[in-house]
Amino acid sequence: MDSDCDDAGALALLHALADRREAKILAVAASSLYRSSVPCIEAINHYYGRPDLPIGAPKRDAVDSHAGSKYARAIAESCETRWKANADAPDATKVYRQTLASQSDNSVVIVSVGDVTNICNLLRSGPDTHSPLAGPDL
């Protein structure tokens, strides 16, 4: 959710696929450091009836456009959300690890729009409290 409204459209499309039972959303991770990304994601998830989806945000090694998205900011500022900024959300790598560890092998497809920093961080991750497996093995 950074730089333009296309990310919001992609998330809306994913929700539409989930409504048609063609996909199941397990979690959403922002790929930008832009402070309004997570609140915007949360507002969209709530609008589509999935307010409790886990949301993660990168804590390092991510893109910071410095310009941000006027669209994401407007959505974030107009909706009541748990998290007021990306910094309030859990680390995206931890959300990925926890989500993947709770699923059957080969049952998850990761869909990424934008930068793949979170996937890179997941692949670099080691065992933790969620799984004894390293990132590539999850």
Side-chain angles (χ1 to χ4, degrees), residues 80-115:
E80 190 63 36
T81 58
R82 287 175 289 181
W83 298 306
K84 303 303 176 200
N86 278 27
D88 301 332
D91 181 86
T93 302
K94 290 180 182 179
V95 170
Y96 265 132
R97 290 188 58 80
Q98 182 176 16
T99 301
L100 292 171
S102 68
Q103 301 303 309
S104 302
D105 288 349
N106 300 311
S107 67
V108 175
V109 174
I110 296 175
V111 177
S112 181
V113 174
D115 301 301

Side-chain angles (χ1 to χ4, degrees), residues 38-122:
V38 165
C40 181
I41 289 168
E42 185 179 351
I44 292 169
N45 290 347
H46 189 270
Y47 177 83
Y48 284 97
R50 296 177 182 87
D52 298 323
L53 281 175
I55 301 172
K59 301 302 179 182
R60 58 180 169 74
D61 302 330
V63 172
D64 186 355
S65 70
H66 299 291
S69 166
K70 293 177 186 177
Y71 185 84
R73 185 178 69 238
I75 295 294
E77 290 174 354
S78 67
C79 298
E80 190 63 36
T81 58
R82 287 175 289 181
W83 298 306
K84 303 303 176 200
N86 278 27
D88 301 332
D91 181 86
T93 302
K94 290 180 182 179
V95 170
Y96 265 132
R97 290 188 58 80
Q98 182 176 16
T99 301
L100 292 171
S102 68
Q103 301 303 309
S104 302
D105 288 349
N106 300 311
S107 67
V108 175
V109 174
I110 296 175
V111 177
S112 181
V113 174
D115 301 301
V116 295
T117 306
N118 291 327
I119 295 172
C120 183
N121 290 338
L122 168 65

